[in-house]
Amino acid sequence: MRTTTKRIAAGLAAALATTMAVALPGSPALAGGPVPNPDQGLVFYSSNPLEVVGRQPAPDDVCRPIPARATWAIDWNNAFPRGVGGYTTADCSGEPRFYVDSFHSWPEGFLLSYKSL
C-alpha cells in the first residue's frame, strides 16, 4: 500500500514539476545550472515562493533539522524506500508526526527535524 501511494505521489509530483517548469519563469536562484527533472533523493520545497530549500541524496539514519521554510518534500526515485519520519522535536525523539517523503504538506515551522527510517 505504501509503495503504491509513493508511486502515485511521485507521478503527481513529476506532473507538477513539469507544469512548473513550463509555467514559471526562470529565477536567479536556478540560473547557476539546470535542475534535474525529476530531481534526485529527498528534496524539500517551500510553498511561497515555490523553491527548493534543501536536498539529501541518500538515507543515512542521521537526525537532521528540517530546512528553513520547508513545507513539503518529495522522495524522488524512491531513494528512501523505508520512509522519512518528520518530527516536531529538534532531536527526532518520540514518534514521527508525518512521513515527509509522502506527497503532502505541513505548516512552516511545524516539523523541526527528520530522519530516514
Side-chain angles (χ1 to χ4, degrees):
M1 174 74 178
R2 182 156 162 77
T3 302
T4 302
T5 303
K6 287 180 90 170
R7 286 184 186 157
I8 291 170
L12 290 171
L16 175 64
T18 302
T19 303
M20 290 179 341
V22 172
L24 296 176
S27 75
L30 300 178
V35 174
N37 187 10
D39 212 322
Q40 308 242 335
L42 183 65
V43 181
F44 289 90
Y45 299 89
S46 66
S47 295
N48 190 16
L50 179 61
E51 63 185 350
V52 173
V53 294
R55 286 186 174 90
Q56 185 176 344
D60 60 8
D61 298 323
V62 173
C63 180
R64 300 178 183 277
I66 293 282
R69 298 184 19 245
T71 56
W72 56 291
I74 298 174
D75 175 12
W76 290 102
N77 299 320
N78 200 27
F80 292 72
R82 292 180 22 223
V84 180
Y87 298 83
T88 55
T89 60
D91 62 355
C92 299
S93 61
E95 292 295 315
R97 179 72 172 152
F98 292 120
Y99 288 99
V100 300
D101 56 316
S102 300
F103 193 70
H104 69 269
S105 64
W106 58 86
E108 185 176 336
F110 179 70
L111 296 177
L112 301 177
S113 61
Y114 74 97
K115 182 170 107 172
S116 55
L117 304 173

